Amino acid sequence: WIRSASKIPLYENTKALSKFLLLCAYDDTCSNSQSPGMLEKAAMGSNPMLSWHKWKLFSSDNLENKFTIEHVAPQTISSNWDESLNDKVLVNTIGNLTILPANINSSVGNSSFVAKKAFFLSLCEENARLRQESSGELPEKQQALLNGAHYLGFLQSITEVEKWNSSLIKKRSENILSHAWVVLYSWLE
């Protein structure tokens, strides 16, 4: 199931399933320090993502709190991205997706990976002073967005990646789906 599902452009086919699988995968997981871009199981309760409250954030009217799906590599690839990403199916697989607040998603848009990574680094910083310092080189409007945003620790795994490319997305798709499967399988037993 994991190998087959990792090749499906889930975002293109069903956004709701993409959202649900990301919440399942991010629930009580953390960055895998030995494998950049990947997740691993964390302590129970360390990152509670699978809840009605988190699901409802996808339909919130408040853009600061509303969750949206972010394509790490944009759906339309520009020259500042690895050319292996010029694949419509690949960029819509779950390994290229993450969750961001709507206002920040709009602000990062189709930026380069380096620019997106700077945003993600700020969002996964727990310490308010360090977050403010990390966003210091960004335009004032973007600094304000980041400084007012909630902590999103699940972005840490993305910030550890040096180069975002097709090979990483394929591996990350399987990794995300394997964590989602663990959650789903426990419900099916």
Side-chain angles (χ1 to χ4, degrees):
W1 177 82
I2 292 168
R3 276 209 183 99
S4 296
S6 71
K7 297 172 185 162
I8 297 171
L10 286 176
Y11 182 82
E12 203 172 74
N13 294 337
T14 171
K15 292 179 180 95
L17 183 58
S18 298
K19 295 171 188 177
F20 179 67
L21 290 173
L22 285 170
L23 289 175
C24 286
Y26 288 158
D27 189 59
D28 288 342
T29 58
C30 61
S31 176
N32 183 333
S33 60
Q34 296 175 347
S35 190
M38 304 303 133
L39 303 170
E40 66 182 333
K41 187 76 178 133
M44 191 181 311
S46 63
N47 189 29
M49 291 297 291
L50 194 55
S51 68
W52 178 246
H53 169 71
K54 298 285 186 187
W55 179 257
K56 290 302 288 176
L57 289 176
F58 281 108
S59 59
S60 172
D61 291 332
N62 181 343
L63 293 183
E64 291 175 11
N65 291 327
K66 181 179 183 166
F67 276 172
T68 59
I69 297 292
E70 160 67 0
H71 285 77
V72 179
Q75 291 173 296
T76 305
I77 299 297
S78 62
S79 61
N80 54 5
W81 285 89
D82 188 284
E83 68 179 53
S84 72
L85 299 170
N86 200 6
D87 177 341
K88 292 271 186 220
V89 172
L90 180 73
V91 296
N92 285 298
T93 60
I94 200 148
N96 188 48
L97 305 177
T98 194
I99 299 170
L100 282 183
N103 60 346
I104 292 176
N105 196 345
S106 296
S107 187
V108 297
N110 290 341
S111 301
S112 70
F113 182 60
V114 171
K116 286 186 177 195
K117 199 164 137 174
F119 270 84
F120 298 167
L121 273 166
S122 184
L123 290 167
C124 65
E125 176 56 62
E126 292 177 281
N127 182 303
R129 178 185 51 79
L130 293 176
R131 178 184 278 197
Q132 203 163 15
E133 289 172 7
S134 73
S135 67
E137 293 182 23
L138 296 170
E140 198 171 303
K141 184 178 177 185
Q142 291 177 335
Q143 285 180 38
L145 281 176
L146 290 169
N147 293 331
H150 290 278
Y151 168 74
L152 302 176
F154 55 82
L155 293 171
Q156 182 69 39
S157 65
I158 298 172
T159 68
E160 295 166 349
V161 172
E162 290 300 317
K163 185 175 182 183
W164 198 261
N165 58 35
S166 61
S167 156
L168 177 83
I169 291 172
K170 290 172 187 174
K171 187 176 173 187
R172 185 171 159 79
S173 289
E174 288 189 12
N175 177 256
I176 288 171
L177 291 168
S178 69
H179 286 286
W181 176 250
V182 168
V183 171
L184 295 172
Y185 187 75
S186 68
W187 296 350
L188 300 173
E189 284 187 306

